[in-house]
Amino acid sequence: MKRYVIQLLICLAVEAGSAAVQLLLRSSRLPFPGQSASFSCSGSGTIIRWEKDNTVLNLTNARYSSDQKMSSLVIHSLVKTDTGLYRCVAVVSGIEESDTVYLSVLVNPEISYKPLTVAVEGHSVTLGCQTRYFTKISWTFNGVNISHKPGYIYSRAKMNLTIDRVSRTHAGQYACTATNYNKAHTSTGTPVLVVYYGPDAVLRGPVNGTAIEGEDVIMHLNTTGFPSPQKKWKKDDVFLELESSRYNLGPDGQTLSISSVQTSDSGNYTCVVNNTVGETLEYFQLTVEGPPSPPRLLEANITVMETFIKMFVKWTVPFNGNSPITEYTLHYRQKGGAFWFTMLVRSSQVSADVPMSINLNSLKGFDFYVTASNRHGSSEESEIFQVSKNSFLLIAPPTSSSEPTEKSGLSESRVIVIAVSGFATSILTTFALIVLAYKRQRWAPPHHQEEQNATVRMFDARSDSFAESSHPSKETQITYARYPI
């Protein structure tokens, strides 16, 4: 433990001599620099000299004055070095006799201190004022006396002030004031405490984190920290290429602006905020809503009935534009036709059945495409899916007799034709077109019990060939596949 000695500068009268010589200090016992000190020496002998700290004074010095008998001594314009033990020496009956008195010149306290101290929040810090020639030290913070305020720890003489866990609120101007004995003279040191602390941040953006495609979006970051923190922006853990014309950083990186946002701008945005003390991450989830993407057609099945046709179309569920799909619209027309028909389909469905009365002799085929809609609008058109009449497979059913007609016409029966394709014809990759034809047939049972099984023959009009199938029941389904188209 350090020990500090407090020096009280006072004037003490020392009765060192005999009654034959008496030395008195007739001026102030506690003079200040610039004042005068007056001594008088009386006795029965002859005064022969004056001493200070056992050294003979040179009375020819202009600062000293004395009478002819040397019974008085005046020291003019006192300085700090005039402090000491003064002695008057006289000869009495052939013997030197003397008396002493102590003069203490009260000088201004002297203070030395470190002008600037830097501390890190949460750590301990000590401010010091090394002082001489004082009787009391007091401390203030931003002009408020803190000598008895909790949270501050002082050394024995209050030359040092310690804050055990410094915070940013402790940063500011401190002052240590040293006062001498009669409080007439003071000296003040003004150490400054700077507190470094890590960054805090709050990131804000559009209300509910949602924006509409085409809008301009601004994300604003409120930060604190000292030294001033740096900011870097990321999207989905990848640093943004801020050279892009669509991104713009505000002053000191406090704001990130995105012009004309797209659904692809949706994601998790992060601002990395750091300084020499630490780092923090702030997140903002942005969702950009817009019209959905176009669906993709998977297949189109055409069932040719006796008096009408029925089309079955199926598609994929597209990206909904971050907003629920409200409906689909199926667009279709006869191949080569100028007018598109439309059919609304509920959002819960991804297929549609479309019945149509049509002259089969004039039928060349059909074109299809689909669009999806949500509250922000409709998607672009899907790729057009084409089904040509040349792809149809014709099936002739058996007649009411036990032997079917080999080349029954389309008008003589009910025929079902299906065309299936993995992708629309505009897809660059070529796929074989699979044509499936099937017919569920009914007929009357033969007259003889032993002829319960029947043979059904189907005819492919394009290949001019037959296929046979035997079935034990009254109703059968024939499926025939052929490649390619």
Side-chain angles (χ1 to χ4, degrees), residues 209-254:
T210 302
I212 306 303
E213 198 171 46
E215 293 181 342
D216 294 337
V217 167
I218 298 178
M219 284 174 274
H220 184 77
L221 184 74
N222 291 322
T223 61
T224 59
F226 191 81
S228 180
Q230 297 180 336
K231 300 95 179 173
K232 295 182 180 179
W233 293 83
K234 301 195 314 185
K235 176 180 180 288
D236 298 330
D237 288 330
V238 177
F239 284 105
L240 290 174
E241 296 181 2
L242 297 176
E243 295 79 10
S244 169
S245 59
R246 295 183 58 242
Y247 297 115
N248 182 47
L249 279 185
D252 198 28
Q254 294 285 107

Side-chain angles (χ1 to χ4, degrees), residues 193-351:
L193 176 62
V194 175
V195 178
Y196 283 6
Y197 54 95
D200 295 321
V202 176
L203 182 57
R204 293 185 174 90
V207 178
N208 298 325
T210 302
I212 306 303
E213 198 171 46
E215 293 181 342
D216 294 337
V217 167
I218 298 178
M219 284 174 274
H220 184 77
L221 184 74
N222 291 322
T223 61
T224 59
F226 191 81
S228 180
Q230 297 180 336
K231 300 95 179 173
K232 295 182 180 179
W233 293 83
K234 301 195 314 185
K235 176 180 180 288
D236 298 330
D237 288 330
V238 177
F239 284 105
L240 290 174
E241 296 181 2
L242 297 176
E243 295 79 10
S244 169
S245 59
R246 295 183 58 242
Y247 297 115
N248 182 47
L249 279 185
D252 198 28
Q254 294 285 107
T255 58
L256 173 65
S257 302
I258 309 175
S259 60
S260 188
V261 292
Q262 306 164 5
T263 53
S264 58
D265 292 318
S266 300
N268 188 20
Y269 287 80
T270 306
C271 189
V272 182
V273 187
N274 57 45
N275 63 10
T276 56
V277 180
E279 177 179 283
T280 187
L281 305 178
E282 277 299 305
Y283 303 93
F284 186 83
Q285 184 69 40
L286 176 65
T287 301
V288 181
E289 296 184 359
S293 300
R296 180 170 59 86
L297 282 169
L298 293 176
E299 63 178 273
N301 301 338
I302 301 177
T303 303
V304 182
M305 311 300 287
E306 189 172 24
T307 57
F308 67 95
I309 67 171
K310 183 172 69 173
M311 298 177 290
F312 172 79
V313 183
K314 186 176 182 180
W315 54 88
T316 61
V317 177
F319 169 60
N320 64 6
N322 293 320
S323 181
I325 292 177
T326 55
E327 64 185 13
Y328 296 99
T329 303
L330 173 64
H331 306 257
Y332 59 94
R333 69 178 180 184
Q334 290 190 53
K335 191 172 184 63
F339 182 77
W340 288 91
F341 296 90
T342 60
M343 178 180 180
L344 296 180
V345 182
R346 290 178 299 182
S347 61
S348 59
Q349 298 179 215
V350 289
S351 63

Side-chain angles (χ1 to χ4, degrees), residues 32-47:
F32 294 101
Q35 294 180 337
S36 298
S38 178
F39 302 88
S40 66
C41 187
S42 61
S44 58
T46 301
I47 300 172

